[in-house]
Amino acid sequence: MKMFQFALALVLMMCLLDKPAHFYFYVHAVSAILFALMAFNAYDSYQKKKAILFFSLALFIQPVYPLPFDRSIWIFIEIVFALILLISAFRTNKD
């Protein structure tokens, strides 16, 4: 699961680049799916705090009903999400 976290953090950091609008839609769709999978994996491993965190991130970034933020705010949010992923990957599995 750590490889998914590193890969997703890298993809979220790619959002700093100037890309077409459909790139961000696909990034948010893949991010929501991977956050949901990470939430399920954490819940299955009895890490309830981490499961709630990842499920909240999945709901926040889902592309079906996107939150109406400006591009600069989305860049900040994606950087924060990438940092959360990296910190989560390096932390121990204590809950």
Side-chain angles (χ1 to χ4, degrees):
M1 194 58 58
K2 288 185 181 189
M3 291 304 292
F4 286 123
Q5 291 175 334
F6 288 125
L8 185 56
L10 180 66
V11 170
L12 286 171
M13 295 304 273
M14 284 177 55
C15 289
L16 292 172
L17 304 173
D18 191 26
K19 298 284 186 184
H22 65 275
F23 173 78
Y24 300 107
F25 176 82
Y26 291 128
V27 166
H28 286 189
V30 169
S31 298
I33 291 168
L34 287 178
F35 280 135
L37 288 173
M38 287 181 226
F40 177 75
N41 188 26
Y43 184 78
D44 201 34
S45 300
Y46 301 103
Q47 299 172 340
K48 292 187 182 192
K49 291 178 185 176
K50 196 181 261 191
I52 291 171
L53 172 70
F54 285 141
F55 183 70
S56 301
L57 296 179
L59 286 178
F60 193 80
I61 206 165
Q62 55 80 27
V64 178
Y65 296 109
L67 298 173
F69 291 138
D70 190 26
R71 177 165 154 62
S72 60
I73 295 174
W74 272 116
I75 288 174
F76 175 75
I77 290 169
E78 288 156 350
I79 291 171
V80 169
F81 284 7
L83 289 174
I84 289 171
L85 283 169
L86 292 174
I87 290 170
S88 171
F90 285 116
R91 286 191 72 209
T92 59
N93 290 335
K94 295 178 184 174
D95 196 28

